[in-house]
């Protein structure tokens, strides 16, 4: 199926470090969503972005909606062990099919060493 | 406010059998979407239900079907199970006019 491209694929960092990851698409999106998923659990919504250029924070997390509407970025500051998990970007595509289905990125695995 | 709930949490079936998974949407939400997540991949959209009718479908065969009830809860039915149907099945709820979806904990299906 269709997917968004996320990078990096995985990150192994020390506690306290800052983290940056991004998500790109060949098509434009009007909404970008960032989710975190723990093993065997459902994705949990972290941040929702609705406007090109928008910068939104949720605690130590900050996400931006790219100006081209084809990308988005997620930053985590001062990482802690509970930040471990898989981070997915997602958005409803503007092309064919259900208007509110979500396309998910390939995921970024984050590991934090205490 | 009650979040999205799913049942059962785990299920083991054999090839050729049928399975029904259930989802209760978050309070105030009238739209339910179902996703399949294979190991190591992102969720893939199966279909969405809005006001008890199918409102879009992903690239899944007709043996994947669903229902939505007047209380907005939903069922996912899969007939003639195949080994590749083994996955985490996720339900997400939203309001009909918003794109932000909230996910349940999922049902882990294993087909032997």
């Amino acid at each position: 199926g269709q997917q968004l491209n996320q990078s990096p694929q995985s990150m192994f960092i020390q506690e306290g470090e800052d983290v940056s990851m991004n998500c790109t698409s060949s098509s434009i999106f009007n909404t970008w969503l960032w989710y975190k998923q723990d093993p065997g659990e459902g994705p949990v919504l972290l941040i929702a972005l609705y406007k090109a250029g928008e910068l939104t924070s949720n605690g130590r997390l900050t996400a931006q909606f790219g100006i081209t509407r084809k990308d988005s970025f997620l930053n985590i500051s001062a990482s802690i062990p509970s930040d471990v998990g898989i981070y997915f970007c997602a958005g409803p595509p503007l092309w064919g099919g259900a208007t509110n289905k979500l396309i998910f990125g390939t995921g970024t695995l984050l590991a934090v060493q205490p | 406010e009650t979040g999205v709930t799913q049942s059962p949490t785990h299920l083991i079936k054999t090839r050729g059998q049928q399975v029904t998974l259930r989802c209760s949407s978050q309070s105030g939400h009238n739209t339910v979407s179902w996703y399949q997540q294979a190991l190591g991949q992102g969720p893939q959209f199966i279909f969405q239900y809005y006001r008890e009718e199918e409102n879009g479908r992903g690239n899944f065969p007709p043996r994947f079907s669903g229902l939505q009830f007047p209380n907005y809860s939903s069922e996912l039915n899969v007939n003639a199970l195949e080994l590749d149907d083994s996955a985490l099945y996720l339900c997400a709820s939203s309001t009909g006019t918003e794109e932000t979806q909230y996910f349940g904990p999922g049902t882990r299906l294993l087909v032997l």
Side-chain angles (χ1 to χ4, degrees), chain B:
Chain B
E1 182 178 279
T2 304
V4 180
T5 60
Q6 293 186 241
S7 63
T9 56
H10 297 82
L11 205 52
I12 300 175
K13 291 285 188 178
T14 56
R15 195 169 46 182
Q17 285 189 310
Q18 178 266 343
V19 69
T20 297
L21 310 181
R22 296 178 174 83
C23 170
S24 291
S25 61
Q26 184 169 312
S27 176
H29 287 180
N30 57 13
T31 303
V32 172
S33 304
W34 286 93
Y35 294 80
Q36 180 195 65
Q37 186 176 24
L39 202 60
Q41 298 185 19
Q44 298 287 327
F45 176 77
I46 302 175
F47 44 56
Q48 181 182 90
Y49 278 83
Y50 172 63
R51 291 183 175 178
E52 302 178 55
E53 301 224 347
E54 188 177 290
N55 181 41
R57 189 180 184 91
N59 188 26
F60 281 81
R63 58 190 185 83
F64 285 78
S65 63
L67 285 173
Q68 186 179 33
F69 301 98
N71 66 354
Y72 305 127
S73 66
S74 177
E75 285 182 357
L76 164 66
N77 299 291
V78 187
N79 294 321
L81 284 166
E82 301 176 359
L83 298 180
D84 284 349
D85 295 333
S86 295
L88 180 67
Y89 287 85
L90 296 162
C91 164
S93 77
S94 58
T95 64
T97 56
E98 291 189 9
E99 296 153 327
T100 307
Q101 297 182 14
Y102 297 87
F103 284 82
T107 294
R108 173 71 65 185
L109 173 65
L110 177 61
V111 181
L112 301 176

Side-chain angles (χ1 to χ4, degrees), chain A residues 69-82:
Chain A
R69 295 166 65 193
K70 292 184 178 181
D71 55 10
S72 180
F73 308 88
L74 176 69
N75 296 312
I76 305 173
S77 62
S79 59
I80 59 178
S82 62

Side-chain angles (χ1 to χ4, degrees), chain A residues 88-112:
Chain A
F88 287 102
C89 61
L94 301 181
W95 66 92
T99 53
N100 286 339
K101 73 177 182 181
L102 292 180
I103 300 295
F104 277 80
T106 48
T108 293
L109 170 65
L110 177 64
V112 180

